[in-house]
Amino acid sequence: AQSVTQLDSQVPVFEEAPVELRCNYSSSVSVYLFWYVQYPNQGLQLLLKYLSGSTLVESINGFEAEFNKSQTSFHLRKPSVHISDTAEYFCAVSIQGAQKLVFGQGTRLTINP
Amino acid sequence: EAQVTQNPRYLITVTGKKLTVTCSQNMNHEYMSWYRQDPGLGLRQIYYSMNVEVTDKGDVPEGYKVSRKEKRNFPLILESPSPNQTSLYFCASSLYGGGANEQFFGPGTRLTVL
């Protein structure tokens, strides 16, 4: 079975500072990895995903994540955050043929002006 | 606009009173799923459906029922709600199941069972 651990439940940062949200997973087979974002009072939206190929994946709003197989990690980074990035971020894992996403506990990102 | 809709968005009810949360998608997706979100636990899958008339249990199916009579609709039924079913519920859909496909989520239904 797969599992996901998000090491920080809350991350406060100042505007324009860099941020890293950590995600580690456990699986005995090859995985697909996802980051979803949940803005206040909204559903989840896909931010980026790793299926295969290049281990560095990017989103359209400046986030990136790197798949590290040896460390079983998929940390999310942004070099300079904005107030509008305030949200809860969920890391999720799936495998080929699976019928569900397995989610981490979520990390609440708070941006202070 | 491509979307997943859920109704109601907010619901307060009492123990034992049957309720249904509706979910509808307009993207012609084969796969649909229900999750519940609880603080500190992330999202956990309740039930999923690969196609019309095909449903199966997720990780936390106890106390819930689903049906998939039409491709676009996937209602979640609580026959006899209990306070431990107080949660935030999300419906999701994707083109197909199988792990690699992006799931599109509805806006959520916040349920309180007194």
Short mmCIF file of all heavy atoms in Angstrom, two decimals, chain A residues 35-78:
data_model
loop_
_atom_site.label_atom_id
_atom_site.label_comp_id
_atom_site.label_asym_id
_atom_site.label_seq_id
_atom_site.Cartn_x
_atom_site.Cartn_y
_atom_site.Cartn_z
N TRP A 35 0.66 17.29 -6.75
CA TRP A 35 0.39 18.32 -5.76
C TRP A 35 -0.93 18.99 -6.16
O TRP A 35 -1.09 19.44 -7.30
CB TRP A 35 1.48 19.38 -5.72
CG TRP A 35 2.64 19.02 -4.85
CD1 TRP A 35 3.85 18.50 -5.23
CD2 TRP A 35 2.72 19.15 -3.43
NE1 TRP A 35 4.66 18.30 -4.14
CE2 TRP A 35 4.00 18.69 -3.02
CE3 TRP A 35 1.84 19.62 -2.45
CZ2 TRP A 35 4.41 18.69 -1.69
CZ3 TRP A 35 2.24 19.62 -1.13
CH2 TRP A 35 3.51 19.17 -0.75
N TYR A 36 -1.85 19.03 -5.19
CA TYR A 36 -3.10 19.74 -5.36
C TYR A 36 -3.12 20.94 -4.41
O TYR A 36 -2.57 20.88 -3.31
CB TYR A 36 -4.30 18.84 -5.04
CG TYR A 36 -4.68 17.88 -6.14
CD1 TYR A 36 -4.00 16.68 -6.31
CD2 TYR A 36 -5.72 18.18 -7.02
CE1 TYR A 36 -4.36 15.80 -7.34
CE2 TYR A 36 -6.08 17.31 -8.03
CZ TYR A 36 -5.39 16.13 -8.19
OH TYR A 36 -5.75 15.26 -9.20
N VAL A 37 -3.81 22.01 -4.82
CA VAL A 37 -3.95 23.19 -3.99
C VAL A 37 -5.42 23.43 -3.71
O VAL A 37 -6.28 23.24 -4.59
CB VAL A 37 -3.30 24.43 -4.65
CG1 VAL A 37 -3.90 24.72 -6.02
CG2 VAL A 37 -3.40 25.65 -3.75
N GLN A 38 -5.71 23.81 -2.48
CA GLN A 38 -7.08 24.12 -2.07
C GLN A 38 -7.11 25.55 -1.53
O GLN A 38 -6.65 25.81 -0.42
CB GLN A 38 -7.55 23.14 -1.01
CG GLN A 38 -9.00 23.33 -0.59
CD GLN A 38 -9.43 22.32 0.49
OE1 GLN A 38 -8.61 21.83 1.26
NE2 GLN A 38 -10.72 22.03 0.52
N TYR A 39 -7.66 26.47 -2.33
CA TYR A 39 -7.83 27.85 -1.87
C TYR A 39 -9.02 27.90 -0.91
O TYR A 39 -9.90 27.03 -0.95
CB TYR A 39 -8.02 28.80 -3.04
CG TYR A 39 -6.81 28.83 -3.95
CD1 TYR A 39 -6.84 28.23 -5.20
CD2 TYR A 39 -5.63 29.45 -3.54
CE1 TYR A 39 -5.73 28.24 -6.03
CE2 TYR A 39 -4.51 29.45 -4.35
CZ TYR A 39 -4.57 28.84 -5.60
OH TYR A 39 -3.46 28.85 -6.40
N PRO A 40 -9.08 28.90 -0.06
CA PRO A 40 -10.15 28.97 0.95
C PRO A 40 -11.53 28.79 0.34
O PRO A 40 -11.87 29.42 -0.66
CB PRO A 40 -9.96 30.36 1.54
CG PRO A 40 -8.49 30.63 1.40
CD PRO A 40 -8.11 30.00 0.09
N ASN A 41 -12.29 27.88 0.94
CA ASN A 41 -13.69 27.62 0.55
C ASN A 41 -13.84 27.13 -0.88
O ASN A 41 -14.89 27.35 -1.51
CB ASN A 41 -14.55 28.88 0.76
CG ASN A 41 -14.58 29.31 2.20
OD1 ASN A 41 -14.78 28.49 3.09
ND2 ASN A 41 -14.33 30.58 2.44
N GLN A 42 -12.82 26.48 -1.38
CA GLN A 42 -12.90 25.92 -2.72
C GLN A 42 -12.51 24.45 -2.72
O GLN A 42 -11.99 23.93 -1.73
CB GLN A 42 -11.99 26.69 -3.68
CG GLN A 42 -12.40 28.12 -3.90
CD GLN A 42 -11.55 28.79 -4.97
OE1 GLN A 42 -11.01 28.13 -5.87
NE2 GLN A 42 -11.41 30.10 -4.87
N GLY A 43 -12.78 23.78 -3.84
CA GLY A 43 -12.31 22.41 -4.00
C GLY A 43 -10.83 22.38 -4.35
O GLY A 43 -10.17 23.41 -4.45
N LEU A 44 -10.31 21.17 -4.54
CA LEU A 44 -8.91 21.02 -4.87
C LEU A 44 -8.68 21.21 -6.35
O LEU A 44 -9.52 20.81 -7.18
CB LEU A 44 -8.42 19.62 -4.47
CG LEU A 44 -8.12 19.39 -3.00
CD1 LEU A 44 -9.41 19.32 -2.18
CD2 LEU A 44 -7.32 18.11 -2.82
N GLN A 45 -7.52 21.78 -6.69
CA GLN A 45 -7.13 21.95 -8.08
C GLN A 45 -5.74 21.36 -8.25
O GLN A 45 -4.89 21.52 -7.38
CB GLN A 45 -7.05 23.44 -8.45
CG GLN A 45 -8.31 24.24 -8.20
CD GLN A 45 -8.05 25.73 -8.40
OE1 GLN A 45 -7.26 26.14 -9.24
NE2 GLN A 45 -8.73 26.55 -7.63
N LEU A 46 -5.52 20.72 -9.38
CA LEU A 46 -4.20 20.17 -9.65
C LEU A 46 -3.20 21.30 -9.86
O LEU A 46 -3.43 22.20 -10.65
CB LEU A 46 -4.25 19.28 -10.89
CG LEU A 46 -2.92 18.62 -11.25
CD1 LEU A 46 -2.53 17.60 -10.19
CD2 LEU A 46 -3.02 17.95 -12.62
N LEU A 47 -2.09 21.22 -9.16
CA LEU A 47 -1.01 22.20 -9.30
C LEU A 47 0.06 21.68 -10.26
O LEU A 47 0.47 22.37 -11.18
CB LEU A 47 -0.41 22.48 -7.93
CG LEU A 47 0.57 23.64 -7.80
CD1 LEU A 47 -0.09 24.95 -8.17
CD2 LEU A 47 1.11 23.70 -6.36
N LEU A 48 0.50 20.48 -10.04
CA LEU A 48 1.46 19.84 -10.94
C LEU A 48 1.49 18.34 -10.66
O LEU A 48 0.97 17.88 -9.65
CB LEU A 48 2.85 20.46 -10.82
CG LEU A 48 3.45 20.68 -9.43
CD1 LEU A 48 3.94 19.41 -8.79
CD2 LEU A 48 4.59 21.71 -9.49
N LYS A 49 2.09 17.61 -11.60
CA LYS A 49 2.14 16.16 -11.43
C LYS A 49 3.40 15.60 -12.07
O LYS A 49 3.96 16.18 -13.01
CB LYS A 49 0.92 15.50 -12.07
CG LYS A 49 0.81 15.68 -13.57
CD LYS A 49 -0.47 15.04 -14.10
CE LYS A 49 -0.59 15.25 -15.61
NZ LYS A 49 -1.88 14.68 -16.15
N TYR A 50 3.84 14.48 -11.53
CA TYR A 50 4.93 13.71 -12.10
C TYR A 50 4.39 12.33 -12.47
O TYR A 50 3.88 11.61 -11.61
CB TYR A 50 6.10 13.56 -11.11
CG TYR A 50 7.11 12.56 -11.59
CD1 TYR A 50 8.04 12.90 -12.56
CD2 TYR A 50 7.10 11.25 -11.12
CE1 TYR A 50 8.95 11.97 -13.04
CE2 TYR A 50 7.99 10.32 -11.60
CZ TYR A 50 8.91 10.67 -12.56
OH TYR A 50 9.80 9.74 -13.04
N LEU A 51 4.52 12.00 -13.74
CA LEU A 51 4.12 10.67 -14.20
C LEU A 51 5.34 9.86 -14.61
O LEU A 51 5.46 8.66 -14.28
CB LEU A 51 3.14 10.77 -15.36
CG LEU A 51 1.85 11.56 -15.09
CD1 LEU A 51 0.94 11.55 -16.32
CD2 LEU A 51 1.12 11.02 -13.88
N SER A 52 6.24 10.48 -15.36
CA SER A 52 7.46 9.82 -15.80
C SER A 52 8.34 10.89 -16.46
O SER A 52 7.94 12.05 -16.60
CB SER A 52 7.17 8.69 -16.79
OG SER A 52 6.60 9.21 -17.97
N GLY A 53 9.55 10.50 -16.86
CA GLY A 53 10.40 11.42 -17.59
C GLY A 53 11.16 12.35 -16.67
O GLY A 53 11.64 11.95 -15.61
N SER A 54 11.22 13.62 -17.05
CA SER A 54 11.98 14.60 -16.29
C SER A 54 11.51 14.65 -14.84
O SER A 54 10.30 14.73 -14.57
CB SER A 54 11.83 15.99 -16.91
OG SER A 54 12.43 16.96 -16.07
N THR A 55 12.46 14.62 -13.93
CA THR A 55 12.09 14.57 -12.51
C THR A 55 11.69 15.94 -11.97
O THR A 55 11.15 16.02 -10.87
CB THR A 55 13.26 14.03 -11.69
OG1 THR A 55 14.41 14.85 -11.90
CG2 THR A 55 13.58 12.59 -12.07
N LEU A 56 11.95 17.00 -12.71
CA LEU A 56 11.57 18.34 -12.29
C LEU A 56 10.32 18.75 -13.06
O LEU A 56 10.33 18.78 -14.29
CB LEU A 56 12.70 19.32 -12.54
CG LEU A 56 12.45 20.76 -12.06
CD1 LEU A 56 12.35 20.80 -10.54
CD2 LEU A 56 13.56 21.69 -12.54
N VAL A 57 9.26 19.05 -12.36
CA VAL A 57 8.02 19.47 -13.00
C VAL A 57 7.65 20.85 -12.50
O VAL A 57 7.93 21.20 -11.35
CB VAL A 57 6.88 18.46 -12.76
CG1 VAL A 57 7.16 17.16 -13.49
CG2 VAL A 57 6.70 18.19 -11.28
N GLU A 58 7.00 21.62 -13.37
CA GLU A 58 6.68 23.00 -13.03
C GLU A 58 5.21 23.29 -13.25
O GLU A 58 4.56 22.66 -14.08
CB GLU A 58 7.51 23.95 -13.90
CG GLU A 58 9.00 23.79 -13.72
CD GLU A 58 9.80 24.68 -14.67
OE1 GLU A 58 9.19 25.27 -15.58
OE2 GLU A 58 11.01 24.79 -14.49
N SER A 59 4.70 24.27 -12.49
CA SER A 59 3.33 24.72 -12.70
C SER A 59 3.36 26.07 -13.40
O SER A 59 4.41 26.71 -13.53
CB SER A 59 2.61 24.85 -11.35
OG SER A 59 3.09 25.97 -10.64
N ILE A 60 2.19 26.53 -13.83
CA ILE A 60 2.12 27.78 -14.57
C ILE A 60 2.28 28.99 -13.65
O ILE A 60 2.53 30.09 -14.11
CB ILE A 60 0.81 27.90 -15.35
CG1 ILE A 60 -0.39 27.81 -14.39
CG2 ILE A 60 0.72 26.84 -16.42
CD1 ILE A 60 -1.71 28.08 -15.06
N ASN A 61 2.14 28.83 -12.35
CA ASN A 61 2.23 29.97 -11.44
C ASN A 61 3.50 29.95 -10.61
O ASN A 61 3.53 30.50 -9.50
CB ASN A 61 1.00 30.04 -10.54
CG ASN A 61 0.78 28.79 -9.72
OD1 ASN A 61 1.49 27.81 -9.91
ND2 ASN A 61 -0.17 28.83 -8.82
N GLY A 62 4.57 29.34 -11.12
CA GLY A 62 5.88 29.48 -10.50
C GLY A 62 6.29 28.41 -9.52
O GLY A 62 7.40 28.43 -9.00
N PHE A 63 5.42 27.47 -9.22
CA PHE A 63 5.81 26.37 -8.34
C PHE A 63 6.54 25.29 -9.14
O PHE A 63 6.33 25.15 -10.35
CB PHE A 63 4.56 25.73 -7.69
CG PHE A 63 4.00 26.52 -6.55
CD1 PHE A 63 2.97 27.42 -6.75
CD2 PHE A 63 4.48 26.35 -5.26
CE1 PHE A 63 2.43 28.16 -5.70
CE2 PHE A 63 3.96 27.06 -4.20
CZ PHE A 63 2.93 27.97 -4.41
N GLU A 64 7.39 24.57 -8.46
CA GLU A 64 8.05 23.42 -9.06
C GLU A 64 8.22 22.33 -8.00
O GLU A 64 8.22 22.61 -6.80
CB GLU A 64 9.42 23.79 -9.65
CG GLU A 64 10.43 24.23 -8.63
CD GLU A 64 11.78 24.54 -9.27
OE1 GLU A 64 11.82 24.99 -10.43
OE2 GLU A 64 12.80 24.33 -8.58
N ALA A 65 8.35 21.10 -8.48
CA ALA A 65 8.57 19.99 -7.57
C ALA A 65 9.53 19.02 -8.24
O ALA A 65 9.53 18.88 -9.47
CB ALA A 65 7.27 19.28 -7.23
N GLU A 66 10.34 18.39 -7.45
CA GLU A 66 11.32 17.46 -7.99
C GLU A 66 11.11 16.08 -7.39
O GLU A 66 11.07 15.91 -6.17
CB GLU A 66 12.74 17.93 -7.70
CG GLU A 66 13.79 17.04 -8.36
CD GLU A 66 15.14 17.72 -8.50
OE1 GLU A 66 15.36 18.72 -7.79
OE2 GLU A 66 15.94 17.27 -9.34
N PHE A 67 10.96 15.11 -8.27
CA PHE A 67 10.81 13.71 -7.87
C PHE A 67 12.20 13.17 -7.54
O PHE A 67 13.10 13.18 -8.38
CB PHE A 67 10.17 12.91 -8.99
CG PHE A 67 10.20 11.42 -8.79
CD1 PHE A 67 9.66 10.85 -7.65
CD2 PHE A 67 10.75 10.58 -9.76
CE1 PHE A 67 9.67 9.48 -7.46
CE2 PHE A 67 10.77 9.21 -9.58
CZ PHE A 67 10.23 8.66 -8.43
N ASN A 68 12.37 12.71 -6.31
CA ASN A 68 13.64 12.13 -5.90
C ASN A 68 13.36 10.70 -5.45
O ASN A 68 12.87 10.45 -4.34
CB ASN A 68 14.24 12.94 -4.75
CG ASN A 68 15.64 12.50 -4.41
OD1 ASN A 68 15.93 11.30 -4.37
ND2 ASN A 68 16.53 13.45 -4.17
N LYS A 69 13.68 9.77 -6.33
CA LYS A 69 13.33 8.37 -6.06
C LYS A 69 14.13 7.81 -4.89
O LYS A 69 13.60 7.06 -4.06
CB LYS A 69 13.57 7.53 -7.31
CG LYS A 69 13.07 6.11 -7.21
CD LYS A 69 13.23 5.37 -8.53
CE LYS A 69 12.68 3.95 -8.42
NZ LYS A 69 12.81 3.22 -9.72
N SER A 70 15.39 8.18 -4.78
CA SER A 70 16.24 7.61 -3.72
C SER A 70 15.78 8.08 -2.34
O SER A 70 15.88 7.34 -1.36
CB SER A 70 17.70 7.97 -3.95
OG SER A 70 17.88 9.37 -3.90
N GLN A 71 15.27 9.31 -2.28
CA GLN A 71 14.80 9.83 -1.01
C GLN A 71 13.28 9.72 -0.87
O GLN A 71 12.73 10.19 0.12
CB GLN A 71 15.24 11.29 -0.84
CG GLN A 71 16.74 11.45 -0.81
CD GLN A 71 17.18 12.86 -0.48
OE1 GLN A 71 16.38 13.69 -0.08
NE2 GLN A 71 18.46 13.14 -0.65
N THR A 72 12.64 9.12 -1.84
CA THR A 72 11.17 8.99 -1.88
C THR A 72 10.50 10.30 -1.50
O THR A 72 9.62 10.35 -0.62
CB THR A 72 10.67 7.83 -0.99
OG1 THR A 72 11.05 8.08 0.38
CG2 THR A 72 11.24 6.52 -1.45
N SER A 73 10.90 11.36 -2.19
CA SER A 73 10.35 12.67 -1.87
C SER A 73 9.84 13.37 -3.12
O SER A 73 10.24 13.04 -4.25
CB SER A 73 11.40 13.56 -1.20
OG SER A 73 12.43 13.88 -2.10
N PHE A 74 8.98 14.33 -2.90
CA PHE A 74 8.40 15.14 -3.99
C PHE A 74 8.09 16.51 -3.40
O PHE A 74 6.96 16.94 -3.33
CB PHE A 74 7.16 14.46 -4.56
CG PHE A 74 6.64 15.05 -5.85
CD1 PHE A 74 7.46 15.17 -6.96
CD2 PHE A 74 5.31 15.44 -5.95
CE1 PHE A 74 6.97 15.68 -8.14
CE2 PHE A 74 4.81 15.95 -7.15
CZ PHE A 74 5.64 16.07 -8.24
N HIS A 75 9.14 17.23 -2.99
CA HIS A 75 8.97 18.51 -2.32
C HIS A 75 8.54 19.60 -3.30
O HIS A 75 9.00 19.64 -4.44
CB HIS A 75 10.27 18.93 -1.63
CG HIS A 75 10.75 17.95 -0.60
ND1 HIS A 75 9.90 17.13 0.11
CD2 HIS A 75 12.00 17.66 -0.18
CE1 HIS A 75 10.60 16.37 0.94
NE2 HIS A 75 11.88 16.67 0.77
N LEU A 76 7.70 20.48 -2.83
CA LEU A 76 7.18 21.59 -3.64
C LEU A 76 7.92 22.86 -3.25
O LEU A 76 8.06 23.16 -2.07
CB LEU A 76 5.68 21.74 -3.38
CG LEU A 76 4.94 22.82 -4.17
CD1 LEU A 76 4.86 22.45 -5.64
CD2 LEU A 76 3.55 23.04 -3.60
N ARG A 77 8.35 23.62 -4.25
CA ARG A 77 9.11 24.84 -3.97
C ARG A 77 8.59 26.00 -4.82
O ARG A 77 8.05 25.81 -5.91
CB ARG A 77 10.60 24.62 -4.30
CG ARG A 77 11.26 23.50 -3.54
CD ARG A 77 12.74 23.43 -3.88
NE ARG A 77 13.38 22.33 -3.17
CZ ARG A 77 13.56 21.12 -3.66
NH1 ARG A 77 13.16 20.84 -4.89
NH2 ARG A 77 14.14 20.17 -2.95
N LYS A 78 8.79 27.19 -4.27
CA LYS A 78 8.56 28.41 -5.04
C LYS A 78 9.58 29.43 -4.57
O LYS A 78 9.74 29.63 -3.36
CB LYS A 78 7.14 28.93 -4.86
CG LYS A 78 6.80 30.07 -5.81
CD LYS A 78 5.34 30.45 -5.78
CE LYS A 78 5.02 31.50 -6.84
NZ LYS A 78 3.60 31.90 -6.87
#
